[in-house]
Amino acid sequence: MFDPKRPTLKTMIASGRCIGAAWFSLGSAALVELALKSEPDAIVIDMQHGLWDRRELEAVIGMVPSRIPVIVRVAENTALAIGTALDAGAEGVIVPLVESAKEARAAVRHALYPPHGNRSGGGVRPLKDFQSYVAGADGIAVIVMIETEKGLDAAEDIIAVDGIDMVFIGTGDLSLSLGAFPIHRHDHTVACADIHKACRAGYMPCGIFTGRPEFATVARGQGYRLVTIANDIDMVQRSFVEAAKRFRDPPAPAIAPSSGPATASLPAGSGPAIENRRKGDA
């Protein structure tokens, strides 16, 4: 949860490091709690495509220690959506489908209090100590997504907007927009590289949705500054698929030399019970 006296996300961004984030869409605070043991650099809560409601958002942000920033991918670029995420205690927002400098400026305004923006004052967490919160609210990060062909064309203008802390490439929607889905063709790869190049030229940190650790590692090597090391949908689905596959197609058991008849291996703790039954039968 955002601590306005000790902001962490902007500090991470300014350090030049690559931030490895865990991305959550399933609306389960329990999953986030389990994932916190892995100590990700950041948590992303997806309010655009995820199953989160307002109460769950408040609950999950409240359980995350302030040393791990929570970023909310908001549903839309509006004062209500951005204000809701920040009132819940998010340290940053990811604003989807930004296609122009005008839309990028609107995202910044929605995240700032007057006189620099139009964010409304309120929310349970900010109002606990509103004076301190307002004083530290400049520690909140605004990240805008470039994920359409129109956004790609306007990348340089978007990057030049004051108040933007990072550009984040939405690889899935960009693929759809370019007609490159389901196979990320060469033009999709070139588009991502062009956005990244424009960010470097404009001294703007650039992140990219990766979703799996092997892809995140490659993106880190390419100089991206925010990557998704895991997302809950993929992690849960892949684990169930792998477990079912291992059950259906188990590896061949190793054959160990034995002086007696072969016996099936038993779960730990089952031996004594079987031994007692044998004694009782004798």
Side-chain angles (χ1 to χ4, degrees), residues 79 82-83 86 93 106-113 117-119 137 140-142:
I82 292 172
L86 297 179
V93 289
V108 173
R109 285 198 308 274
H110 299 331
L112 298 177
Y113 290 119
N118 59 4
R119 181 182 171 190
I140 288 168
V142 178

Side-chain angles (χ1 to χ4, degrees), residues 68-282:
I68 300 177
V70 178
I71 311 167
V72 174
R73 201 256 291 267
V74 297
E76 57 188 4
N77 187 5
T78 63
L80 176 60
I82 292 172
T84 294
L86 297 179
D87 285 353
E91 189 159 346
V93 289
I94 297 176
V95 183
L97 299 168
V98 172
E99 297 184 319
S100 67
K102 180 180 179 181
E103 292 179 0
R105 285 192 292 269
V108 173
R109 285 198 308 274
H110 299 331
L112 298 177
Y113 290 119
H116 306 293
N118 59 4
R119 181 182 171 190
S120 175
V124 174
R125 288 184 173 134
L127 291 179
K128 286 191 299 184
D129 184 354
F130 196 53
Q131 184 174 344
S132 295
Y133 184 89
V134 172
D138 58 354
I140 288 168
V142 178
I143 302 169
V144 298
M145 295 190 75
I146 295 180
E147 51 184 341
T148 64
E149 187 171 12
K150 189 175 179 181
L152 170 64
D153 292 339
E156 291 183 4
D157 294 336
I158 293 169
I159 290 163
V161 171
D162 288 339
I164 298 297
D165 295 286
M166 182 181 289
V167 163
F168 191 75
I169 302 173
T171 50
D173 275 344
L174 185 59
S175 177
L176 289 168
S177 179
L178 295 173
F181 181 84
I183 299 171
H184 287 181
R185 301 188 316 240
H186 179 65
D187 52 348
H188 179 269
T189 302
V190 170
C192 292
D194 285 347
I195 297 169
H196 194 194
K197 181 179 178 181
C199 285
R200 289 198 301 269
Y203 301 98
M204 174 65 68
C206 185
I208 189 168
F209 186 87
T210 48
R212 296 179 67 166
E214 57 268 34
F215 303 143
T217 301
V218 171
R220 179 178 60 186
Q222 293 171 338
Y224 286 99
R225 299 276 296 281
L226 173 63
V227 297
T228 45
I229 58 174
N231 69 84
D232 57 352
I233 294 175
D234 183 58
M235 293 290 287
V236 171
Q237 178 174 265
R238 190 149 38 98
S239 294
F240 277 110
V241 169
E242 289 175 358
K245 185 177 185 302
R246 290 181 65 182
F247 176 75
R248 288 191 296 263
D249 305 309
I255 300 176
S258 173
S259 57
T263 58
S265 61
L266 299 167
S270 60
I274 291 176
E275 184 64 25
N276 289 339
R277 284 200 299 272
R278 287 174 178 163
K279 288 178 181 179
D281 291 342

